[in-house]
Amino acid sequence: MSLTPAFLDELRARTHLSGLIAKTVKLQKAGREYRACCPFHNEKTPSFYVNDDKGFYHCFGCSAHGDAIRWMTDQRGLPFIDAVKELAQAAGMEMPEQDRRSAERAQQAKGLHEAMDEAARWFAERLQGIEGAEARAALKKRGVSEEVARAFGMGFAPDSRGKLKDALKAFGDPMLVEAGLLIAVDNKEPYDRFRGRLMIPIRDVRGRTIAFGGRIIGEGEPKYLNSPETPLFDKGRTLYNLDRAQAAARKSGRIIAVEGYMDVIALAQAGFGEAVAPLGTALTEHQLERLWRMVETPLLCFDGDNAGQKAALRAAHRAMPMLQPGRSLAFVTLPEGMDPDDLVRTQGPAAFEALLAKAQPLVDRLWQSEIAAEPLDTPEQRAGLKRRLGELANTIAEPNVRAEYLAEFRERTDAHFGRGPRSFQPSAQRGPSFARGKRDKRGNWIPPEAPPSATVRGVQAGGLDPILARAVLSGLIRHPAEIARHMEVLGSLRNASGALGKLFEAVIDVALEDRQLDQGKVLTILAKSGFDSVASDLLRADTLPFSFTRPKTVDEAKAREDLNEAIAVMVAQPAVDAALAEATAALIEDTTDEAFARQQALSRQRQELEARLANLMLADDENLDE
């Protein structure tokens, strides 16, 4: 099937974006746009905007951005082609014709889906019948309610080699073999794959049955038997319960990956509907990407035995090359020998919730693993630790994250062996570090600079800081004469990501259109460009506490001076961050005094920028108290 750009553009044009989004999100009219609390992250005040004229949505809180197709893939979790098909059907558009081979595959898949759905219904009926008495008793013993069993489509496969085959004979043996429901060996008569087992349907993101997991009732091996890989089922790309967990994850703001089906089902019954599980394999790159599409930091909660903890560590190592700013993992450690099913059944949901609240960051799990790997008594062993940590950090592809891990591991190593100024604490337990006072050449004591505020400490390392950028935009709208003064510098920010870049571009266009501007004219011109509600939002009184973001300023000259300083800091930060990341990464290869001095000099520059910004904010806070 060939989806041309023209077809996709027509599809977007025919799709009423706000109507599509309003099916699951409560939208409020805001000028020419709609706004709502973002469905991709938890927030109390709306920062999610939908623009029908331009055909996109954008969240100023988490930077989620896209069109109708992106909404279907990110919010609904559909594969791209399924998203296009659903939108095309709603828009009354015919999908482009398929080539013969694609049409054959589509028809084949349709038949397989129908066979799997029919098998799921047949297994569910057997569970409720006379044959399923033992399976029902096993579920009751494990505390699985009838309601939950129905919700997950659970069933029972009788201990027979041909009952399912006879029930589904209308599909023909070849299709049932291809679906993984029958086994064919050496040209012998095909027979039922699943016999005498509790049956658990495995569904795709659209809720269609694509495979089964069969759990033995009582003793025997194998304990679990999964469907083989088929045209419908790729176990390395599938997560059990993903179809149900997506909505729960959006509501709770988290996703929990556990080891098995029964853990997922037990957690759902205990109120944790956001749990998923891999299918008999270690978490794959595709499965990790699936998790990251829902939340920035998925929680991995594997069994408390050695095998479970080794699986968690393998997932940690597999995730390293894929880390991005804001994208990580966290680990929930269960009591030894317990799995989530055991915990919620014996200790209740509150005990599990308490463990989730103490999830261990990825960097702590890696550090803990490496220092426990071997003794660290000799110089050679300590050098081996440094080498392993360096190799681990260097697997990260993203340069800023890689540089942060290299610096973090270096600091932890020095602190662990008593070479640093303090004993090491896990990252989650650290408090802020403050500058120390010093004496000048005459011996006079110079007190330390005031620590930066919590907002300033949150400034992102690398790229344009969105909080500072929004404050600057607010200041430029309030003091439009400053736009022309900084035209060249602001022009370099047109390439900033997402809506920030578009806003800076719009503000520059405002100045080019009319050099004699006041705030009213700026707002009028921005409204024509579709930024009326966004500009109004920037002018709210509860923006960052700079003098230039205030509705009324006592000292206009100081407000303009502070705005100029904020622009200088905002523009300088990305360049310094990039250079610092490069210099920090280089230290792993180049340990000369020159390389270390360069890294330290850049680190001081970064601290000076933070201090300049902190001084602006602290000075303004003092004005508030007067």
Side-chain angles (χ1 to χ4, degrees):
M1 183 184 301
S2 177
L3 298 178
T4 65
F7 174 83
L8 295 177
D9 287 343
E10 177 67 16
L11 178 62
R12 295 183 184 101
R14 290 198 193 185
T15 301
H16 190 235
L17 184 60
S18 62
L20 175 67
I21 294 175
K23 292 178 180 179
T24 52
V25 177
K26 186 177 180 180
L27 298 177
Q28 297 176 335
K29 187 70 174 174
R32 296 168 60 184
E33 299 179 320
Y34 294 88
R35 68 179 178 180
C37 289
C38 181
F40 296 101
H41 78 290
N42 289 326
E43 62 177 2
K44 295 181 179 179
T45 56
S47 62
F48 178 81
Y49 288 83
V50 181
N51 189 312
D52 281 324
D53 294 336
K54 298 185 178 179
F56 67 76
Y57 61 84
H58 183 83
C59 176
F60 289 93
C62 68
S63 298
H65 182 90
D67 56 15
I69 300 173
R70 185 68 177 268
W71 173 261
M72 300 292 280
T73 59
D74 285 6
Q75 202 270 346
R76 291 273 306 278
L78 297 181
F80 175 81
I81 192 65
D82 288 344
V84 172
K85 286 179 179 178
E86 191 164 322
L87 290 173
Q89 183 178 10
M93 295 176 64
E94 293 289 336
M95 291 290 288
E97 289 188 9
Q98 300 172 308
D99 57 45
R100 189 177 69 178
R101 182 174 296 179
S102 296
E104 290 173 353
R105 284 198 300 266
Q107 187 62 34
Q108 177 192 35
K110 181 181 179 181
L112 291 174
H113 279 301
E114 291 172 349
M116 298 301 286
D117 287 341
E118 187 63 31
R121 281 192 292 272
W122 190 82
F123 287 138
E125 290 170 359
R126 302 287 81 69
L127 179 64
Q128 300 305 318
I130 297 174
E131 297 167 302
E134 186 181 3
R136 293 196 303 274
L139 287 174
K140 185 176 181 179
K141 184 177 180 180
R142 294 185 68 96
V144 178
S145 69
E146 292 183 12
E147 181 183 2
V148 168
R150 283 194 300 270
F152 281 89
M154 300 176 79
F156 174 68
D159 192 4
S160 164
R161 294 173 63 89
K163 284 191 175 182
L164 177 68
K165 176 184 173 181
D166 291 341
L168 272 61
K169 62 184 179 182
F171 292 97
D173 288 355
M175 180 173 287
L176 297 179
V177 170
E178 189 169 21
L181 296 170
L182 301 184
I183 296 176
V185 181
D186 297 332
N187 297 318
K188 295 181 181 179
E189 189 72 15
Y191 58 92
D192 293 359
R193 177 180 297 275
F194 299 101
R195 304 179 303 279
R197 290 180 178 269
L198 181 69
M199 298 301 293
I200 303 168
I202 300 167
R203 297 161 173 157
D204 64 12
V205 292
R206 296 176 63 179
R208 300 175 300 184
T209 301
I210 57 174
F212 290 95
R215 190 188 192 284
I216 199 164
I217 299 171
E219 300 299 323
E221 293 294 335
K223 185 176 181 181
Y224 284 97
L225 178 65
N226 289 337
S227 293
E229 295 207 354
T230 70
L232 300 182
F233 178 49
D234 182 339
K235 64 182 178 181
R237 293 176 178 267
T238 306
L239 286 165
Y240 176 66
N241 196 44
L242 184 62
D243 58 311
R244 293 168 52 88
Q246 288 181 122
R250 286 193 294 273
K251 185 175 181 180
S252 67
R254 66 189 178 196
I255 191 76
I256 308 165
V258 295
E259 283 194 54
Y261 315 110
M262 297 308 296
D263 292 324
V264 169
I265 293 168
L267 288 177
Q269 182 161 299
F272 302 93
E274 63 272 27
V276 296
L279 297 159
T281 64
L283 274 174
T284 66
E285 288 84 354
H286 295 294
Q287 290 167 335
L288 286 168
E289 285 288 356
R290 274 286 187 184
L291 296 175
W292 277 319
R293 285 172 64 178
M294 290 181 281
V295 299
E296 288 188 339
T297 307
L299 301 174
L300 270 55
C301 181
F302 292 166
D303 295 354
D305 56 16
N306 287 336
Q309 294 312 295
K310 287 180 180 179
L313 189 61
R314 284 197 300 273
H317 284 213
R318 181 161 284 178
M320 291 296 282
M322 306 165 69
L323 297 182
Q324 297 285 336
R327 174 197 274 192
S328 189
L329 295 174
F331 297 83
V332 179
T333 303
L334 296 171
E336 186 173 355
M338 296 190 79
D339 58 28
D341 184 8
D342 298 327
L343 187 70
V344 294
R345 281 193 292 116
T346 59
Q347 300 182 27
F352 188 68
E353 187 70 57
L355 290 178
L356 296 180
K358 298 188 294 184
Q360 184 183 39
L362 172 61
V363 66
D364 290 347
R365 176 57 61 99
L366 294 170
W367 168 259
Q368 182 185 70
S369 170
E370 291 301 332
I371 62 172
E374 62 180 39
L376 300 172
D377 302 322
T378 68
E380 293 83 2
Q381 290 168 339
R382 292 191 287 273
L385 171 66
K386 291 182 179 180
R387 176 182 56 77
R388 293 195 306 274
L389 290 171
E391 290 174 349
L392 192 58
N394 276 316
T395 62
I396 302 173
E398 207 285 326
N400 285 320
V401 179
R402 182 173 65 245
E404 288 295 329
Y405 265 81
L406 288 166
E408 179 78 8
F409 285 151
R410 181 186 295 273
E411 179 184 350
R412 290 182 182 226
T413 303
D414 288 344
H416 187 74
F417 296 121
R419 297 166 188 160
R422 57 178 169 80
S423 297
F424 168 72
Q425 289 180 302
S427 57
Q429 300 174 10
R430 293 187 203 172
S433 59
F434 303 117
R436 297 181 178 180
K438 59 183 178 181
R439 297 186 182 276
D440 62 17
K441 294 181 180 179
R442 297 182 180 180
N444 298 318
W445 176 253
I446 302 175
E449 294 179 353
S453 68
T455 302
V456 176
R457 288 198 303 271
V459 170
Q460 297 177 357
L464 198 63
D465 171 42
I467 298 175
L468 179 56
R470 294 189 73 190
V472 167
L473 282 164
S474 173
L476 291 172
I477 294 171
R478 294 190 186 283
H479 308 281
E482 300 304 305
I483 301 175
R485 289 185 55 191
H486 297 283
M487 186 77 73
E488 183 175 346
V489 171
L490 295 174
S492 66
L493 304 178
R494 292 179 184 226
N495 295 325
S497 62
L500 284 179
K502 291 183 174 65
L503 271 170
F504 275 115
E505 185 171 2
V507 167
I508 295 167
D509 291 341
V510 162
L512 292 173
E513 186 173 331
D514 186 355
R515 294 277 178 150
Q516 302 299 319
L517 287 170
D518 58 27
Q519 181 177 316
K521 286 184 179 179
V522 172
L523 292 174
T524 300
I525 297 172
L526 286 178
K528 293 179 181 178
S529 300
F531 288 100
D532 48 344
S533 59
V534 180
S536 299
D537 188 51
L538 288 171
L539 295 178
R540 290 184 308 169
D542 60 347
T543 52
L544 290 176
F546 296 99
S547 61
F548 51 85
T549 62
R550 294 297 163 76
K552 295 180 181 179
T553 303
V554 177
D555 190 342
E556 184 74 12
K558 181 172 189 313
R560 290 197 300 269
E561 180 181 335
D562 287 353
L563 176 57
N564 295 339
E565 174 73 345
I567 291 172
V569 172
M570 180 184 67
V571 173
Q573 271 184 347
V576 172
D577 286 339
L580 176 58
E582 184 179 353
T584 303
L587 283 176
I588 198 70
E589 301 289 342
D590 184 3
T591 58
T592 63
D593 291 342
E594 292 79 7
F596 182 74
R598 170 172 167 73
Q599 194 268 351
Q600 290 295 294
L602 287 166
S603 182
R604 286 192 294 273
Q605 285 185 39
R606 186 65 174 83
Q607 293 170 5
E608 288 168 5
L609 289 175
E610 290 185 3
R612 286 166 64 184
L613 185 57
N615 287 337
L616 286 176
M617 298 180 73
L618 290 169
D620 197 50
D621 286 341
E622 291 166 3
N623 292 339
L624 278 174
D625 295 333
E626 292 179 0

